[in-house]
Amino acid sequence: MALDAVVLGKLYATLAGGVGLGVLLGRWLPARVSGAIGQGLFWVGVPLSCVAFLRQTDLSGQAWLAPLVAWGSIALAGCLAWGWLHWQGVTAPQRRASFWLGSMFGNTGYLGFPIALALVGSGQFAWALFFDVAGTTLGAYGVGSALAARLGGQSSDGWGMVRAGLVNPTVWGALAGLGSRSIALPQVIDRGLTAIAWTVVALALVLIGMRLSQLRWGNATAPAIALLVIKMAIVPLVVGLTLRGWGWQGPTLLVLVLQMAMPPAFACLVIAEAYDLDRDLAVSSVALGTVVLPFTLPLWLWLFGA
């Protein structure tokens, strides 16, 4: 427990430093700066970090199972969200769509990667990466966009969503990292890639802070709390205990639970704006979930930490 406290202390200091700096910069700099940083990380930074970390990752296990766990958690969250909406009698399609999106898809990339690396290490990074790329990313921009289009009363280009997933640079970064594992690079290049990867982690935290500073809280706190209970408590607990019952344990189980326990993704807000959904609920759930996260992490470390 003392070791857990030290690890969490270092993680919180990192999160507070990066996100806090981002909040300050976001209030001072124009919004286009955060957009430029986001584009740079999306197209260059995150793919390069995938290459660097995958070259150091132990792939002797069955990391390809991570997407199955991701889709299982997404399906469970969707069912629970449907039950809550039905129980509350929510009929507005825009609110229903935003509630589903926030319940099912978490910030497994920009926030999930740094937390997994800090608490579990780079040896299990492939599990976090495959959970994000083949689970959250494809789900949010595939199933999520289709759901938003249907409930938002707009048309949905199915091939366009598939194409968006295929051209996602993180996917190509993952493939490059896997393909280059057997290629011996000069030590200076490997060290350079590692330095870039950790710089990307730091910039991702700063970017989260900048985006949070630009949000204006909505008036949907009550449904946002219900959404977060599903997303950040029930689903990771149920799926985590189920996986443990099946014999999963150690760092692998912890990294999967951490990915499931991330707050709603900023992608949910992007989709809500693109398809004219309940933006208040999307903003409230993203912002409140990020604030709540430091209080839930000790629970997962205590329950599933090695």
Side-chain angles (χ1 to χ4, degrees):
M1 292 304 293
L3 179 59
D4 291 347
V6 171
V7 172
L8 279 175
K10 292 181 179 179
L11 173 61
Y12 289 169
T14 302
L15 291 177
V19 176
L21 176 60
V23 170
L24 293 176
L25 292 175
R27 295 185 181 278
W28 179 52
L29 298 174
R32 64 177 180 272
V33 175
S34 64
I37 294 175
Q39 288 292 318
L41 291 179
F42 180 76
W43 290 106
V44 181
V46 173
L48 281 178
S49 69
C50 290
V51 174
F53 287 131
L54 279 177
R55 287 180 57 83
Q56 308 168 20
T57 299
D58 179 13
L59 294 181
S60 60
Q62 297 177 308
W64 57 270
L65 291 174
L68 298 181
V69 177
W71 282 102
S73 65
I74 290 170
L76 175 59
C79 292
L80 293 173
W82 178 87
W84 187 88
L85 292 169
H86 182 74
W87 175 51
Q88 292 293 312
V90 178
T91 57
Q94 289 80 8
R95 172 152 293 192
R96 292 172 67 89
S98 288
F99 194 91
W100 262 312
L101 289 172
S103 300
M104 294 189 294
F105 306 114
N107 193 341
T108 54
Y110 289 144
L111 193 54
F113 287 173
I115 289 176
L117 287 167
L119 294 180
V120 185
S122 60
Q124 301 295 319
F125 181 72
W127 290 86
L129 176 64
F130 295 158
F131 189 105
D132 174 73
V133 171
T136 302
T137 300
L138 292 182
Y141 289 104
V143 175
S145 294
L147 178 65
R150 180 177 179 82
L151 294 181
Q154 302 181 31
S155 62
S156 174
D157 179 6
W159 169 242
M161 292 181 294
V162 173
R163 185 170 59 247
L166 292 177
V167 302
N168 188 307
T170 303
V171 175
W172 293 101
L175 293 176
L178 293 172
S180 66
R181 286 173 57 85
S182 59
I183 301 175
L185 296 177
Q187 193 175 49
V188 65
I189 295 180
D190 263 334
R191 288 180 175 177
L193 284 174
T194 301
I196 291 173
W198 285 107
T199 301
V200 167
V201 169
L203 283 176
L205 295 177
V206 172
L207 178 62
I208 289 172
M210 296 180 73
R211 287 178 171 171
L212 286 175
S213 73
Q214 296 159 3
L215 295 180
R216 296 297 176 264
W217 283 69
N219 298 314
T221 304
I225 292 175
L227 182 161
L228 295 177
V229 170
I230 293 172
K231 175 70 188 71
M232 300 179 67
I234 298 177
V235 169
L237 180 62
V238 171
V239 178
L241 291 177
T242 301
L243 292 176
R244 174 181 285 174
W246 289 345
W248 294 49
Q249 57 185 342
T252 297
L253 177 58
L254 178 58
V255 75
L256 291 173
V257 170
L258 290 173
Q259 290 293 81
M260 287 184 279
M262 288 299 104
F266 281 94
C268 300
L269 179 55
V270 173
I271 295 172
E273 292 176 336
Y275 291 95
D276 195 25
L277 305 180
D278 190 333
R279 187 178 184 279
D280 278 354
L281 177 55
V283 170
S284 296
S285 60
V286 168
L288 185 59
T290 306
V291 171
V292 167
L293 179 63
F295 300 97
T296 59
L297 286 178
L299 172 65
W300 308 124
L301 198 59
W302 175 61
L303 286 174
F304 299 103

